[in-house]
Amino acid sequence: MTFPTRRLRRLRTSAKMRELIQETTLNPSNLICPVFVQEELKARIKVESMPEIEKLPLDDVNDEVGTISDLNIPAIMLFGIPTKKDDAGTSAFEENGIVQKGISQIRSNFGDKIVIIADVCLCQYTTAGHCGIVHGDKIDNDLSIDTLSKIAVSQAKAGVDIVSPSAMMDGQVAAIRKALDDEGFTNVSIMSHSAKHYSSFYSPFRDAAECAPKFGDRKTYQVPFTNAREAMREVETDIHEGVDIVMIKPALAYLDLIAETRRRFNVPVAAYSVSGEYALVKGAAKQGWINEKDITAEILYSIKRAGADMIVTYFAKSAAEFLQES
Ligand code: PBG
């Protein structure tokens, strides 16, 4: 009989032993919960392509944030769906815009008991549905970063903690940092969607946020999913421009980039597990083909293992629940 010289199974002999040697941990404090607030809504609406996700009227936002906070999730990411769209994306930076109202309401109710992160983008707010300002048949980078800066400042005035630009315009972090500092908001942080890829994983979100582009696609601004070095250049550029937290998006098909970012840079790394990742799990679980809870845990632990410090996920509430049970 031959004997193995190394016995790795020795450390797997009991649940307590496995607990002792567990390398990666996941806590509700690692999670960020997306919240959709829609202007002029009378009651919650379900998002068809994202089971159990709802768009909320302003009046329901505090309830929702209360639920999230009671689950020990420290942060929300707020997305607004306005009634009015125009070419300049005006409703994105108005003082009484839907996101601004949401932020100030949450802030006055919860004080510093929750970290408020707000999406800074134009696609929900412009007629064309692009993440920047359209000029002719192009997305104009430099006009766009002016508007993105206005959005960030308006959110800061409403009381946001972290602004999260997702437009993938060049120089957006530098422009926003300068605008915030000029207005005295030196303590408002920036979590940039640094390497946001051109991805088919976003389509359920576009149903929810009503932000699909009316012409063309987002290929002239989002990172091609074939390019890892280019993604690292995006991250490096954001760091150079003064970002506080970088983000890799989507997460599950991009674990290599999360790991690479963790290895190369010393900034906090967020991963955004996007709507399509959620929809895949929900769809298969509904058929009974996979176990939703087990697979969610495996996915979130894997994103953490790859190197993410925090995860934006539509599973935030359900994961926080099962993490607290175990
Ligand atoms: C818009 C935005 C998108 C997402 C977040 N912000 C969609 C897009 O770029 O088309 C996707 C999020 C998700 O799919 O969960 N700037």
Side-chain angles (χ1 to χ4, degrees):
M1 213 192 300
T2 57
F3 290 97
T5 49
R6 297 181 182 200
R7 290 188 186 271
L8 291 158
R9 291 184 54 198
R10 253 181 223 134
L11 297 177
R12 297 176 197 145
T13 46
S14 70
K16 287 294 166 200
M17 186 69 91
R18 293 190 292 273
E19 204 177 298
L20 185 69
I21 53 125
Q22 182 167 321
E23 299 174 28
T24 307
T25 56
L26 180 70
N27 294 301
S29 63
N30 305 126
L31 305 174
I32 298 169
C33 189
V35 173
F36 296 100
V37 56
Q38 181 162 342
E39 203 166 9
E40 290 180 48
L41 208 58
K42 297 283 177 286
R44 293 174 175 236
I45 333 180
K46 291 187 179 0
V47 179
E48 191 78 31
S49 49
M50 299 171 72
E52 285 162 54
I53 302 296
E54 294 174 322
K55 300 198 267 187
L56 311 177
L58 194 57
D59 285 349
D60 280 24
V61 167
N62 279 354
D63 260 10
E64 177 71 11
V65 174
T67 306
I68 293 167
S69 159
D70 287 347
L71 288 163
N72 295 322
I73 298 168
I76 57 152
M77 180 171 280
L78 195 61
F79 292 95
I81 301 128
T83 306
K84 194 184 74 196
K85 299 178 194 253
D86 61 21
D87 291 347
T90 317
S91 53
F93 52 85
E94 279 169 346
E95 195 186 322
N96 61 354
I98 184 64
V99 163
Q100 290 74 7
K101 280 188 190 161
I103 294 168
S104 54
Q105 183 184 296
I106 299 165
R107 175 63 67 223
S108 50
N109 201 64
F110 293 89
D112 61 5
K113 297 281 189 295
I114 191 96
V115 176
I116 308 173
I117 307 172
D119 182 59
V120 174
C121 198
L122 278 160
C123 55
Q124 288 106 288
Y125 304 90
T126 52
T127 344
H130 274 290
C131 302
I133 301 288
V134 174
H135 191 69
D137 59 355
K138 300 263 191 311
I139 320 304
D140 188 301
N141 192 84
D142 301 4
L143 283 178
S144 301
I145 60 178
D146 272 354
T147 308
L148 294 169
S149 304
K150 276 194 215 163
I151 301 173
V153 168
S154 72
Q155 295 176 346
K157 284 181 179 158
V160 84
D161 292 296
I162 303 180
V163 292
S164 189
S166 66
M168 288 303 290
M169 294 295 129
D170 287 330
Q172 62 182 12
V173 170
I176 289 171
R177 185 70 272 158
K178 180 167 190 313
L180 289 172
D181 290 351
D182 285 351
E183 295 281 335
F185 297 111
T186 49
N187 274 335
V188 170
S189 303
I190 304 177
M191 172 195 278
S192 183
H193 288 51
S194 304
K196 179 176 176 186
H197 294 80
Y198 181 80
S199 172
S200 297
F201 281 103
Y202 305 148
S203 33
F205 176 95
R206 291 184 194 163
D207 288 345
E210 299 165 21
C211 68
K214 296 290 178 299
F215 69 90
D217 54 36
R218 306 208 200 287
K219 282 186 180 160
T220 67
Y221 43 101
Q222 298 182 339
V223 187
F225 56 74
T226 48
N227 294 2
R229 291 192 299 271
E230 189 175 335
M232 290 306 107
R233 280 217 327 269
E234 286 284 3
V235 170
E236 191 183 85
T237 303
D238 279 359
I239 293 172
H240 192 71
E241 291 182 18
V243 82
D244 298 284
I245 301 170
V246 297
M247 185 199 286
I248 303 295
K249 179 179 178 180
L252 192 53
Y254 298 78
L255 295 181
D256 57 329
L257 302 180
I258 296 171
E260 185 72 9
T261 304
R262 172 74 300 143
R263 259 195 301 273
R264 286 200 199 195
F265 307 105
N266 291 324
V267 288
V269 178
Y272 196 144
S273 182
V274 301
S275 56
E277 298 175 48
Y278 179 80
L280 291 183
V281 171
K282 282 291 194 183
K286 192 172 168 214
Q287 300 290 327
W289 293 338
I290 55 168
N291 178 301
E292 179 179 325
K293 181 182 147 193
D294 292 348
I295 217 153
T296 303
E298 188 173 338
I299 290 172
L300 295 176
Y301 272 100
S302 297
I303 296 170
K304 200 63 201 312
R305 189 196 63 233
D309 299 298
M310 60 198 95
I311 309 169
V312 186
T313 170
Y314 301 97
F315 285 112
K317 286 191 288 178
S318 58
E321 265 167 34
F322 70 65
L323 287 169
Q324 262 150 9
E325 283 160 18
S326 56

